[in-house]
Amino acid sequence: MEVLAEDQWRARQAAHRRRVAAWIDPHVERKARREAHPVEDFLFTYYSHRPARLREWHPGAGVLLEGATGFGKDYLDVEGGATLDTAGLLERRRSSVEWIAELLRATASRPAHFGCFGMHEWAMVYRAEEIRHQAWPLRLTPDETAAVVEERGVRCSHFDAFRFFTPKARPLNVLQPTRERQPELEQPGCLHANMDLYKWAYKLSPLVSGELVADCFELARDVRAVDMRASPYDLSALGYRPIRIETAEGRAEYAALQRAFATRAHPLREHLLKACTHLLNLVPALRP
């Protein structure tokens, strides 16, 4: 059991809240004004982790918070402070931790691919009657957009991107991802697979630290910006310079950014997998 003195955990808690406030507060203010931002709001609307939950700080499993009492519903008051009810949480979440560990391990085990060039966003508007972000114009005409998709093809391995493809775009994809095949197809060069590290982190919370959840959120936020810069939407009015993947220069820029994200994601994926492995190894010892 790691022990955090009261001044230590309070300092970490305060630092976490300051850090995430820079992301949460503008979103909450926009929501109050009924304004929407296609990049900055995405992580709060697409993912199920509410801003209030992101604002919470947790030390992770196996930590005693000295001097803490009534820290939260998942905590136990013990001699000297409070600690997570790790046994209770694992009893309820074991199957989820096992699934996340399987996915993370499988993803990390295969080589990264960098040849998709972000065509998934184009496939989501391919010959569509309506588009998701109707408030924002496309950079090209619908026919020009469709021509790029047909010329470049689509090589998307991520189910949660593929499921938003238009019906006419799905047959153009070289793969037909399903939820069941996700551990089989996920690869570490995929922008969405690396963005989803945030999802796996918050689904493991509070068994992992608030800092790790915030690190994954920060990566996902940066990935989303590139995702939309490479999309067919024109977001220049919001300050996002387009990555013109319809050109050779744009594709080279996208691939370079994709490689950089894969490098950033690697230690986060390893930390999450290590946490899952540790938690699952605890299960026999926690049984009565």
Side-chain angles (χ1 to χ4, degrees), residues 74-97:
D74 292 318
Y75 286 80
L76 300 172
D77 289 337
V78 297
E79 184 178 355
T83 189
L84 268 176
D85 179 13
T86 302
L89 285 164
L90 284 177
E91 183 178 356
R92 299 191 299 272
R93 298 193 191 179
R94 180 180 177 182
S95 60
S96 178
V97 176

Side-chain angles (χ1 to χ4, degrees), residues 200-217:
W200 311 131
Y202 75 68
K203 284 185 177 294
L204 291 169
S205 179
L207 292 164
V208 298
S209 72
E211 288 89 348
L212 181 55
V213 176
D215 287 344
C216 292
F217 182 97

Side-chain angles (χ1 to χ4, degrees), residues 20-41:
V20 302
W23 306 321
I24 294 171
D25 291 352
H27 165 73
V28 172
E29 291 165 5
R30 280 191 300 272
K31 189 174 181 180
R33 297 193 300 267
R34 297 186 178 181
E35 295 177 5
H37 194 295
V39 178
E40 294 289 345
D41 292 338

